Amino acid sequence: MALDRITLSRFRNHADTALDDTRRFNLLVGENGAGKTNVLEAISLLAPGRGLRRAALADLPSQSGGGGFTVGASLAQAEGEPVRLGTFVRADLPGRRKVRVNGAEASAASLGEWLAIGWLTPAMDRLFADSAGARRRFVDRMTLALEPGHARHAARYEGALRERNRLLGDEREPDPAWLDGIEVQLAEHGAELAQARLRTIARLSDALAAVPDEPFARPLLAIEPGGPADEAALATALREGRRADRRAGRTLTGPHRDELLVTMAGKSMPAAECSTGEQKAMLIAITLAHAELAAQGRPGLLLLDEVAAHLDPVRRAALFERLREGAAQVWLTGTEMTPFAEIAEEAAVWRVREGAVERV
Amino acid sequence: MASQEIEKLAGALAQLPGLGPRSARRAVLWLVKHRGKALPQLLEALGAVQDRLVECEICGNVDTRNPCGICADPRRDAKSICVVEDVSDLWALDRARLFTGRYHVLGGKLSALEGVRPEDLAIDTLLGRVAPKDGEGGVDEVVLAMNATLEGQTTAHYIAERLEEFPVRITQLAHGLPVGGELDYLDEGTLAQALRARRPVG
């Protein structure tokens, strides 16, 4: 079960692009700026959310297209006719992304019932060197795909945290009963947030444990907690921390200070100190493991933008081997064919140039 | 181009919640068209409200009497008070005609970010109503009917804590399944809340 008959109309630099007869491996080759990632982005919009660039809707239509765009694809079914999925923005309603399933209007959320799309982009390469906040967002995005309720707890927690910090930063001594009221909610949603992150990391760790250390770098994941994950314990920690927090001008305890720790198995080296290629390999391993968890019986799709570039031939071969073993349809991009020699035979290959594709 | 007077009316109507400039102009045109009957009716209604509108000194409801119709109604249970954020919440609850006690309007909700402090809300007057007077118990039950938002719930916790010193039962509106709701269509947050607040049957 995979996507086929993919069409992009007036999307970014693609005026009118069609990709037919897709296979398990699909490869887009072309120079920088040719429009390879734009194809992946278009496909990523067949999932709820803002796609793999997290772009604003206004940035998606092609500059000459008058403000609207259309993306469509057919999803093969085990039995019967394929399902036609489409998403579009009308030029006269530029702020609204619409979704159609088999011609009938549907919600963006309903796309998630048909397929699960995971992706890895070069923008994520800095993850291990980036701030702790960026890694928390990474964990939260993965958690959200496994537990939809996560977003609500995160939003409530953030809101309560801002309230508490403002109250503690006040010149006047904060009203203890008011702090109690805020901390009840910080503890409730903070515990949910922290526990959901721990569950995600535990499930990913289980999945990654089955992967050998070599040749593909295997990451070990852990959360260094920013506070107790138990609701009552977090409430106590917050209450006891009031004086110190007031001096610091912010809340020093809680899941907003969680840190994702990643080390490379075998070498026991923190990910941030590993080579670029090893970091990439670990990111890929996490992405693949998460994609399998998130698919939950749905057909899976993996969009891997420029993944081969940083990998040596042995790791590349291991990656292709793992992708072959998995269930997901895979979309890859690259500037040249050479790194993909091993899958060239079995892959559907398109050459991308100035917003147009040509089957090789 | 409409005259200055008409523009002024449209401008005033545009400020109303849910209207905006386009709907306001439509409303003005309608009034102009029906100026024989609708305009005097509206004028009279507005005038009556302006002349007689008062805030109830007991509960904070708006009415044309003080105390308001609810506080003055002897059939209503004075020993039971339902606390709400705003008058709109009071009206919403009273439309349902299920609550037989009286109300207390806070006039907002606690928000550190927006600078709304306990002293900005009608909390002291609530404590005054609940406090036992001359050896006689003032109120038996306080129902906290705040919105299920972050600030609403903070306010509910705050008031519950301030009421702890009084011998009064404090309850809160349940959060969860809407009436006629189908589980399949509910969001996870509502489902989780409903599960958390489950209760024994029979």
Side-chain angles (χ1 to χ4, degrees):
Chain A
M1 293 202 284
L3 283 188
D4 200 358
R5 296 178 52 215
I6 297 162
T7 57
L8 286 68
S9 173
R10 288 171 291 148
F11 183 83
R12 298 248 190 213
N13 70 342
H14 290 267
D16 194 9
T17 288
L19 301 101
D20 294 310
D21 296 319
T22 61
R23 294 186 185 167
R24 176 62 183 289
F25 285 110
N26 302 275
L27 186 51
L28 301 157
V29 183
E31 290 169 8
N32 296 328
K36 307 181 295 291
T37 308
N38 292 345
V39 173
L40 299 195
E41 185 181 32
I43 294 173
S44 74
L45 289 172
L46 297 174
R50 288 167 59 184
L52 58 71
R53 282 196 181 105
R54 307 190 58 70
L57 273 187
D59 295 338
L60 299 177
S62 61
Q63 309 218 317
S64 56
F69 73 84
T70 309
V71 173
S74 294
L75 180 66
Q77 298 295 298
E79 283 172 31
E81 291 286 296
V83 173
R84 187 75 194 161
L85 304 173
T87 185
F88 61 97
V89 165
R90 272 169 42 184
D92 56 335
L93 278 173
R96 304 276 304 271
R97 166 147 99 98
K98 302 261 195 176
V99 167
R100 282 216 177 112
V101 177
N102 275 341
E105 203 155 304
S107 70
S110 68
L111 285 170
E113 296 173 24
W114 293 99
L115 75 171
I117 306 183
W119 55 75
L120 186 63
T121 67
M124 289 153 76
D125 287 353
R126 292 175 49 244
L127 184 75
F128 301 122
D130 213 331
S131 67
R135 280 185 292 281
R136 274 194 298 276
R137 282 192 294 280
F138 178 70
V139 175
D140 284 339
R141 263 206 310 281
M142 291 195 293
T143 305
L144 192 54
L146 303 175
E147 304 187 25
H150 192 62
R152 186 177 142 271
H153 293 300
R156 279 285 181 113
Y157 182 80
E158 287 295 325
L161 192 62
R162 278 196 297 272
E163 284 282 296
R164 185 175 188 268
N165 286 344
R166 171 61 68 93
L167 211 52
L168 288 172
D170 209 352
E171 279 172 26
R172 277 192 268 179
E173 190 65 31
D175 186 326
W178 191 352
L179 278 174
D180 284 346
I182 294 172
E183 286 170 9
V184 164
Q185 303 188 75
L186 267 177
E188 179 192 334
H189 297 290
E192 295 277 3
L193 195 64
Q195 288 167 23
R197 284 178 185 159
L198 290 171
R199 278 194 296 273
T200 298
I201 295 304
R203 291 179 64 187
L204 280 173
S205 297
D206 280 351
L208 288 166
V211 180
D213 290 3
E214 291 289 336
F216 211 61
R218 182 165 69 91
L220 298 173
L221 308 180
I223 294 266
E224 184 179 67
D230 172 71
E231 185 175 340
L234 181 55
T236 307
L238 287 166
R239 194 168 49 247
E240 289 173 353
R242 281 177 192 176
R243 198 174 293 274
D245 290 352
R246 186 156 155 78
R247 270 198 306 275
R250 67 207 164 93
T251 302
L252 297 171
T253 295
H256 63 288
R257 306 198 77 193
D258 280 356
E259 165 70 293
L260 170 67
L261 301 177
V262 182
T263 47
M264 189 171 142
K267 278 192 180 177
S268 303
M269 189 187 274
E273 294 168 23
C274 292
S275 75
T276 316
E278 287 167 339
Q279 293 192 21
K280 189 78 179 183
M282 286 189 280
L283 263 180
I284 293 170
I286 297 171
T287 306
L288 297 190
H290 178 257
E292 256 169 51
L293 285 178
Q296 293 167 344
R298 296 170 293 175
L301 220 65
L302 273 170
L303 312 176
L304 304 176
D305 195 13
E306 304 279 355
V307 288
H310 290 302
L311 299 179
D312 56 49
V314 177
R315 291 212 167 94
R316 234 168 14 231
L319 168 64
F320 295 141
E321 195 48 45
R322 283 215 48 203
L323 292 172
R324 253 185 226 112
E325 286 165 12
Q329 186 185 35
V330 183
W331 289 79
L332 299 148
T333 65
T335 48
E336 47 186 10
M337 268 312 289
T338 327
F340 302 102
E342 198 155 330
I343 54 164
E345 287 287 305
E346 56 195 297
V349 183
W350 288 270
R351 186 158 290 283
V352 187
R353 190 178 297 147
E354 290 175 8
V357 300
E358 190 190 342
R359 185 68 176 260
V360 178
Chain B
M1 187 66 202
S3 78
Q4 211 180 347
E5 288 79 7
I6 290 181
E7 283 294 334
K8 205 169 158 187
L9 176 58
L13 289 177
Q15 311 266 323
L16 297 179
L19 248 59
R22 192 187 288 247
S23 307
R25 276 199 298 276
R26 213 174 292 147
V28 168
L29 276 178
W30 188 88
L31 285 171
V32 168
K33 208 185 260 178
H34 299 83
R35 57 187 170 278
K37 200 166 169 198
L39 207 49
Q41 254 178 13
L42 185 66
L43 269 177
E44 192 192 324
L46 285 173
V49 168
Q50 191 192 13
D51 290 345
R52 294 167 52 199
L53 190 76
V54 282
E55 198 169 283
C56 174
E57 64 186 9
I58 298 173
C59 74
N61 188 14
V62 287
D63 202 345
T64 50
R65 310 181 258 177
N66 183 15
C68 71
I70 293 174
C71 287
D73 186 345
R75 288 166 303 180
R76 286 204 173 242
D77 183 2
K79 289 191 167 299
S80 181
I81 296 181
C82 179
V83 185
V84 294
E85 290 175 22
D86 282 305
V87 174
S88 59
D89 301 325
L90 187 162
W91 289 359
L93 272 167
D94 215 53
R95 263 202 308 276
R97 300 209 170 278
L98 295 169
F99 185 68
T100 53
R102 294 178 183 177
Y103 292 93
H104 191 86
V105 180
L106 294 174
K109 53 197 184 277
L110 290 179
S111 168
L113 288 174
E114 284 167 30
V116 183
R117 314 176 146 280
E119 59 267 30
D120 300 321
L121 303 177
I123 291 173
D124 285 337
T125 51
L126 173 67
L127 300 182
R129 289 178 74 183
V130 174
K133 287 165 210 74
D134 309 324
E136 208 176 310
V139 168
D140 292 336
E141 181 179 10
V142 173
V143 183
L144 299 174
M146 267 87 253
N147 290 313
T149 58
L150 174 71
E151 291 93 346
Q153 292 306 299
T154 300
T155 310
H157 286 295
Y158 177 83
I159 293 177
E161 196 166 321
R162 295 285 305 271
L163 288 171
E164 262 172 16
E165 58 176 300
F166 303 113
V168 60
R169 199 159 81 99
I170 305 166
T171 55
Q172 192 179 8
L173 291 192
H175 305 159
L177 286 188
V179 174
E182 290 182 46
L183 294 186
D184 196 21
Y185 287 95
L186 290 182
D187 67 286
E188 318 269 332
T190 309
L191 274 175
Q193 193 63 258
L195 200 57
R196 192 191 276 247
R198 69 187 184 277
R199 54 182 192 203
V201 177

mmCIF file of all heavy atoms in Angstrom, chain B residues 175-194:
data_model
loop_
_atom_site.group_PDB
_atom_site.id
_atom_site.type_symbol
_atom_site.label_atom_id
_atom_site.label_comp_id
_atom_site.label_asym_id
_atom_site.label_seq_id
_atom_site.Cartn_x
_atom_site.Cartn_y
_atom_site.Cartn_z
ATOM 1 N N HIS B 175 -16.372 18.132 34.665
ATOM 2 C CA HIS B 175 -15.871 18.284 33.294
ATOM 3 C C HIS B 175 -15.879 16.919 32.630
ATOM 4 O O HIS B 175 -15.460 15.957 33.242
ATOM 5 C CB HIS B 175 -14.427 18.793 33.284
ATOM 6 C CG HIS B 175 -14.230 20.060 34.030
ATOM 7 N ND1 HIS B 175 -13.018 20.464 34.501
ATOM 8 C CD2 HIS B 175 -15.111 21.011 34.394
ATOM 9 C CE1 HIS B 175 -13.144 21.624 35.125
ATOM 10 N NE2 HIS B 175 -14.410 21.974 35.084
ATOM 11 N N GLY B 176 -16.334 16.828 31.411
ATOM 12 C CA GLY B 176 -16.280 15.536 30.729
ATOM 13 C C GLY B 176 -17.230 15.427 29.571
ATOM 14 O O GLY B 176 -17.363 16.362 28.789
ATOM 15 N N LEU B 177 -17.891 14.257 29.468
ATOM 16 C CA LEU B 177 -18.754 13.968 28.326
ATOM 17 C C LEU B 177 -19.870 14.995 28.185
ATOM 18 O O LEU B 177 -20.573 15.272 29.139
ATOM 19 C CB LEU B 177 -19.441 12.616 28.528
ATOM 20 C CG LEU B 177 -18.636 11.348 28.359
ATOM 21 C CD1 LEU B 177 -19.581 10.159 28.415
ATOM 22 C CD2 LEU B 177 -17.907 11.367 27.046
ATOM 23 N N PRO B 178 -20.049 15.561 27.016
ATOM 24 C CA PRO B 178 -21.218 16.404 26.807
ATOM 25 C C PRO B 178 -22.465 15.528 26.629
ATOM 26 O O PRO B 178 -22.346 14.373 26.221
ATOM 27 C CB PRO B 178 -20.901 17.144 25.509
ATOM 28 C CG PRO B 178 -19.922 16.291 24.796
ATOM 29 C CD PRO B 178 -19.201 15.466 25.833
ATOM 30 N N VAL B 179 -23.610 16.076 26.955
ATOM 31 C CA VAL B 179 -24.845 15.318 26.814
ATOM 32 C C VAL B 179 -25.062 14.983 25.338
ATOM 33 O O VAL B 179 -24.920 15.841 24.476
ATOM 34 C CB VAL B 179 -26.036 16.135 27.351
ATOM 35 C CG1 VAL B 179 -27.343 15.414 27.063
ATOM 36 C CG2 VAL B 179 -25.879 16.370 28.839
ATOM 37 N N GLY B 180 -25.361 13.710 25.066
ATOM 38 C CA GLY B 180 -25.570 13.291 23.683
ATOM 39 C C GLY B 180 -24.277 13.116 22.924
ATOM 40 O O GLY B 180 -24.285 12.909 21.713
ATOM 41 N N GLY B 181 -23.138 13.242 23.638
ATOM 42 C CA GLY B 181 -21.850 13.138 22.950
ATOM 43 C C GLY B 181 -21.509 11.699 22.626
ATOM 44 O O GLY B 181 -21.814 10.796 23.393
ATOM 45 N N GLU B 182 -20.887 11.494 21.480
ATOM 46 C CA GLU B 182 -20.427 10.159 21.126
ATOM 47 C C GLU B 182 -18.928 10.093 21.358
ATOM 48 O O GLU B 182 -18.194 10.965 20.908
ATOM 49 C CB GLU B 182 -20.762 9.857 19.665
ATOM 50 C CG GLU B 182 -22.253 9.687 19.450
ATOM 51 C CD GLU B 182 -22.575 9.331 18.007
ATOM 52 O OE1 GLU B 182 -21.891 8.454 17.449
ATOM 53 O OE2 GLU B 182 -23.486 9.951 17.445
ATOM 54 N N LEU B 183 -18.509 9.063 22.046
ATOM 55 C CA LEU B 183 -17.090 8.931 22.413
ATOM 56 C C LEU B 183 -16.178 9.073 21.196
ATOM 57 O O LEU B 183 -15.127 9.699 21.258
ATOM 58 C CB LEU B 183 -16.836 7.564 23.050
ATOM 59 C CG LEU B 183 -17.505 7.304 24.388
ATOM 60 C CD1 LEU B 183 -17.025 5.977 24.948
ATOM 61 C CD2 LEU B 183 -17.203 8.410 25.373
ATOM 62 N N ASP B 184 -16.610 8.484 20.107
ATOM 63 C CA ASP B 184 -15.800 8.442 18.898
ATOM 64 C C ASP B 184 -15.419 9.838 18.411
ATOM 65 O O ASP B 184 -14.410 10.026 17.757
ATOM 66 C CB ASP B 184 -16.604 7.700 17.820
ATOM 67 C CG ASP B 184 -15.724 7.274 16.666
ATOM 68 O OD1 ASP B 184 -14.507 7.200 16.885
ATOM 69 O OD2 ASP B 184 -16.255 7.037 15.574
ATOM 70 N N TYR B 185 -16.243 10.833 18.736
ATOM 71 C CA TYR B 185 -16.007 12.168 18.197
ATOM 72 C C TYR B 185 -15.327 13.102 19.194
ATOM 73 O O TYR B 185 -15.063 14.246 18.886
ATOM 74 C CB TYR B 185 -17.335 12.795 17.743
ATOM 75 C CG TYR B 185 -17.860 12.175 16.480
ATOM 76 C CD1 TYR B 185 -18.794 11.147 16.522
ATOM 77 C CD2 TYR B 185 -17.370 12.581 15.241
ATOM 78 C CE1 TYR B 185 -19.247 10.550 15.365
ATOM 79 C CE2 TYR B 185 -17.824 11.984 14.081
ATOM 80 C CZ TYR B 185 -18.769 10.973 14.151
ATOM 81 O OH TYR B 185 -19.199 10.396 12.998
ATOM 82 N N LEU B 186 -15.078 12.625 20.418
ATOM 83 C CA LEU B 186 -14.516 13.513 21.429
ATOM 84 C C LEU B 186 -12.999 13.609 21.313
ATOM 85 O O LEU B 186 -12.335 12.658 20.926
ATOM 86 C CB LEU B 186 -14.878 13.005 22.827
ATOM 87 C CG LEU B 186 -16.347 13.151 23.203
ATOM 88 C CD1 LEU B 186 -16.555 12.664 24.614
ATOM 89 C CD2 LEU B 186 -16.797 14.600 23.070
ATOM 90 N N ASP B 187 -12.461 14.772 21.677
ATOM 91 C CA ASP B 187 -11.013 14.913 21.679
ATOM 92 C C ASP B 187 -10.451 14.210 22.917
ATOM 93 O O ASP B 187 -11.151 13.952 23.882
ATOM 94 C CB ASP B 187 -10.631 16.399 21.685
ATOM 95 C CG ASP B 187 -11.026 17.073 22.969
ATOM 96 O OD1 ASP B 187 -12.235 17.322 23.160
ATOM 97 O OD2 ASP B 187 -10.144 17.313 23.793
ATOM 98 N N GLU B 188 -9.147 13.929 22.860
ATOM 99 C CA GLU B 188 -8.497 13.150 23.920
ATOM 100 C C GLU B 188 -8.594 13.840 25.279
ATOM 101 O O GLU B 188 -8.740 13.186 26.311
ATOM 102 C CB GLU B 188 -7.011 12.955 23.595
ATOM 103 C CG GLU B 188 -6.739 12.643 22.157
ATOM 104 C CD GLU B 188 -6.733 11.161 21.895
ATOM 105 O OE1 GLU B 188 -6.414 10.421 22.831
ATOM 106 O OE2 GLU B 188 -7.052 10.751 20.770
ATOM 107 N N GLY B 189 -8.476 15.174 25.269
ATOM 108 C CA GLY B 189 -8.500 15.917 26.530
ATOM 109 C C GLY B 189 -9.824 15.717 27.245
ATOM 110 O O GLY B 189 -9.866 15.458 28.451
ATOM 111 N N THR B 190 -10.933 15.823 26.503
ATOM 112 C CA THR B 190 -12.253 15.653 27.098
ATOM 113 C C THR B 190 -12.429 14.222 27.589
ATOM 114 O O THR B 190 -12.945 13.986 28.691
ATOM 115 C CB THR B 190 -13.340 16.000 26.061
ATOM 116 O OG1 THR B 190 -13.036 17.281 25.511
ATOM 117 C CG2 THR B 190 -14.697 16.033 26.684
ATOM 118 N N LEU B 191 -11.981 13.262 26.769
ATOM 119 C CA LEU B 191 -12.096 11.858 27.156
ATOM 120 C C LEU B 191 -11.309 11.585 28.441
ATOM 121 O O LEU B 191 -11.802 10.916 29.356
ATOM 122 C CB LEU B 191 -11.559 10.959 26.045
ATOM 123 C CG LEU B 191 -12.542 10.593 24.932
ATOM 124 C CD1 LEU B 191 -11.822 9.809 23.853
ATOM 125 C CD2 LEU B 191 -13.695 9.780 25.492
ATOM 126 N N ALA B 192 -10.083 12.137 28.501
ATOM 127 C CA ALA B 192 -9.235 11.914 29.673
ATOM 128 C C ALA B 192 -9.897 12.496 30.921
ATOM 129 O O ALA B 192 -9.912 11.879 31.984
ATOM 130 C CB ALA B 192 -7.862 12.544 29.451
ATOM 131 N N GLN B 193 -10.471 13.680 30.751
ATOM 132 C CA GLN B 193 -11.139 14.350 31.871
ATOM 133 C C GLN B 193 -12.346 13.529 32.335
ATOM 134 O O GLN B 193 -12.578 13.370 33.534
ATOM 135 C CB GLN B 193 -11.586 15.740 31.390
ATOM 136 C CG GLN B 193 -12.016 16.671 32.473
ATOM 137 C CD GLN B 193 -10.902 17.014 33.433
ATOM 138 O OE1 GLN B 193 -10.834 16.485 34.524
ATOM 139 N NE2 GLN B 193 -10.012 17.905 33.009
ATOM 140 N N ALA B 194 -13.103 13.003 31.375
ATOM 141 C CA ALA B 194 -14.291 12.217 31.705
ATOM 142 C C ALA B 194 -13.898 10.939 32.429
ATOM 143 O O ALA B 194 -14.549 10.516 33.394
ATOM 144 C CB ALA B 194 -15.075 11.894 30.433
#
